[in-house]
Amino acid sequence: MSLSTLGWDEFFSRHFDPHSAAGLMPARVALEHKHAYELLAATGELTAVCTGKLLYTAIARTDLPAVGDWVAVRLRPGEQQADIHAVLPRRTKFSRRAAGDSGGEQIVATNVDTVLLVTALDQNYNLRRIERYLALAWESGAQPVVVLNKSDLHVDPAGARAEVESIASGAPVVALSAARDESLEALAPWLVPGRTLALLGSSGVGKSTLINRLLGTDRLLTSAISAAVGKGRHTTTHRELIVAPSGVLVIDTPGMRELQLWDVHEPALDSTFADIAALTARCRFSDCAHRGEPGCAIQSALDTGTLYFDRWQSFQKLQREQAYAARKADPRLERVLKANWRKLHRQMRATQRMEHEKE
Ligand SMILES: Nc1nc2c(ncn2[C@@H]2O[C@H](COP(=O)(O)OP(=O)(O)OP(=O)(O)O)[C@@H](O)[C@H]2O)c(=O)[nH]1
Ligand SMILES: [Mg+2]
Ligand SMILES: [Zn+2]
């Protein structure tokens, strides 16, 4: 296995220089156990643990290796065992707020190129949930693709696809049936050798089924139980990176029942809600709170129906959640975020003024 088949490129190579000088070797994290990792390296599979120094110098859990990471390891002589000395900088990082009260950042996967946001066209289908996943995806740095699975269970999959396209702000949307479709041609553009694909979505939407189709084997466990019982059952219990026969690297993840935003910054919210950002720039007052002020563009769009109330509510909810997560993380951050939003707002206004003057 060459490193490039595992997703290695110029970016990681550049950051590895000091480590190769120290005689370390690169490897990619495929699976995370409680205290050990399974890695893929040019020499094959390895089992590894973090060195005491790495554990000691980590400030947060997120400084430790996660699935998708490139790490610098030293092999133990004569064994398929290695010690992880360092984690390379991440090109992309998909995080969420940990479930429960701790509320810390939890890394779902790193160095993902394309993230498939999987929704099933059954009772799971929900535009608001898709918006939420999109916001996280834009923040991660990976390219989002919305996958509407179980098209066999929907009377009008093409209609659903058009509906999702209208809220997806340019992200590609595909409808398919992982269980039935003979080929998964719809996904061909993203099945590129050496590229990393992660699948995210609620439990039971068919992520593992889809990956098994990509692998051409029933390697991953799938089950109808979680879909039927609905509560607390996840068929997939850990994240895992697998090399598919097509050469694409896929990361399966357990379904998320509680998808809490972690640190979604305004630009990501803004990519998800480009229509709303454009509207707010048109309000008469630059500090418009959109609560009945005269000349409020949001209000008039809601009145005429060009902006759906549900979508506006969804945006407000995500904004509140984002502010909450930011406060928990760092009280100063919220001020910075507010300032960023004002700056973006000013930029949009300036652009609009220029367009106005041109007319
Ligand atoms: N009708 C139909 N059923 C499907 C389709 N794809 C998957 N399923 C079924 O949905 C159920 C759940 O599929 P999984 O692949 O285990 O779902 P998952 O997203 O991996 O779930 P977790 O691992 O719990 O997060 C299984 O019974 C699958 O057979 C599809 O296209 N159509
Ligand atoms: Mg699964
Ligand atoms: Zn307004």
Side-chain angles (χ1 to χ4, degrees):
M1 216 178 275
S2 80
L3 284 179
S4 60
T5 59
L6 296 173
W8 183 259
D9 62 18
E10 185 50 38
F11 173 86
F12 300 111
S13 165
R14 199 158 10 98
H15 286 104
F16 197 76
D17 284 347
H19 302 300
S20 74
L24 300 175
M25 164 181 119
R28 194 156 185 206
V29 179
L31 197 83
E32 183 183 344
H33 298 295
K34 224 178 175 72
H35 297 292
Y37 297 87
E38 279 170 38
L39 311 180
L40 297 173
T43 53
E45 292 175 19
L46 296 171
T47 306
V49 291
C50 295
T51 60
K53 188 171 174 217
L54 178 57
L55 289 173
Y56 186 74
T57 52
I59 296 165
R61 252 203 87 72
T62 51
D63 294 333
L64 297 175
V67 171
D69 271 337
W70 280 99
V71 291
V73 304
R74 193 185 305 283
L75 280 178
R76 294 194 186 165
E79 295 178 77
Q80 286 301 80
Q81 288 256 357
D83 294 298
I84 302 174
H85 287 252
V87 180
L88 293 200
R90 295 158 174 148
R91 179 158 46 207
T92 69
K93 182 180 72 163
F94 195 97
S95 295
R96 66 162 186 159
R97 204 148 70 79
D101 288 337
S102 68
E105 177 180 2
Q106 183 184 37
I107 296 183
V108 180
T110 69
N111 300 321
V112 172
D113 299 303
T114 309
V115 56
L116 302 186
L117 306 173
V118 188
T119 295
L121 287 172
D122 53 13
Q123 59 279 19
N124 178 256
Y125 178 62
N126 178 322
L127 292 177
R128 309 287 80 91
R129 183 180 297 118
I130 296 173
E131 279 165 349
R132 179 171 278 264
Y133 273 105
L134 277 167
L136 273 194
W138 291 118
E139 180 68 26
S140 77
Q143 184 203 358
V145 175
V146 182
V147 176
L148 305 175
N149 187 31
K150 309 198 188 183
S151 60
D152 53 296
L153 299 182
H154 199 277
V155 284
D156 180 20
R161 187 173 157 244
E163 185 175 45
V164 173
E165 262 168 358
S166 76
I167 61 138
S169 303
V173 182
V174 299
L176 53 82
S177 171
R180 307 259 170 98
D181 285 355
E182 283 312 305
S183 71
L184 296 174
E185 255 161 43
L187 294 177
W190 301 286
L191 305 182
V192 179
R195 303 278 289 174
T196 305
L197 206 69
L199 281 81
L200 298 166
S202 316
S203 198
V205 296
K207 299 179 297 294
S208 301
T209 308
L210 187 54
I211 295 180
N212 281 339
R213 294 301 306 274
L214 297 176
L215 299 178
T217 63
D218 284 343
R219 166 165 174 174
L220 297 174
L221 204 62
T222 65
S223 160
I225 296 172
S226 41
V229 180
K231 282 209 182 73
R233 289 295 294 265
H234 302 276
T235 307
T236 302
T237 52
H238 54 254
R239 295 175 273 274
E240 182 174 8
L241 179 139
I242 304 167
V243 188
S246 62
V248 72
L249 300 138
V250 271
I251 301 180
D252 192 14
T253 67
M256 302 179 189
R257 227 168 356 113
E258 197 190 349
L259 179 61
Q260 300 264 36
L261 297 193
W262 172 260
D263 233 16
V264 168
H265 297 89
E266 298 294 357
L269 267 191
D270 214 59
S271 305
T272 316
F273 296 97
D275 51 340
I276 289 178
L279 279 172
T280 55
R282 267 185 224 126
C283 293
R284 184 179 307 160
F285 303 115
S286 59
D287 61 347
C288 185
H290 324 301
R291 293 205 190 91
E293 289 93 333
C296 174
I298 292 285
Q299 192 55 54
S300 75
L302 287 170
D303 290 343
T304 57
T306 39
L307 174 63
Y308 289 120
F309 187 66
D310 286 353
R311 184 165 169 82
W312 173 237
Q313 270 194 320
S314 175
F315 171 75
Q316 288 180 305
K317 187 154 175 280
L318 286 175
Q319 224 184 10
R320 278 197 299 275
E321 229 175 85
Q322 178 274 323
Y324 175 76
R327 256 198 315 279
K328 268 207 137 172
D330 181 352
R332 286 163 306 176
L333 192 61
E334 204 188 1
R335 276 205 305 272
V336 176
L337 291 174
K338 277 225 179 82
N340 284 347
W341 175 248
R342 276 198 299 273
K343 198 164 78 196
L344 184 98
H345 210 258
R346 271 199 304 276
Q347 280 166 1
M348 288 191 109
R349 277 179 175 273
T351 322
Q352 249 165 27
R353 253 198 315 278
M354 268 158 52
E355 277 169 7
H356 206 76
E357 280 156 13
K358 266 190 263 160
E359 279 166 19

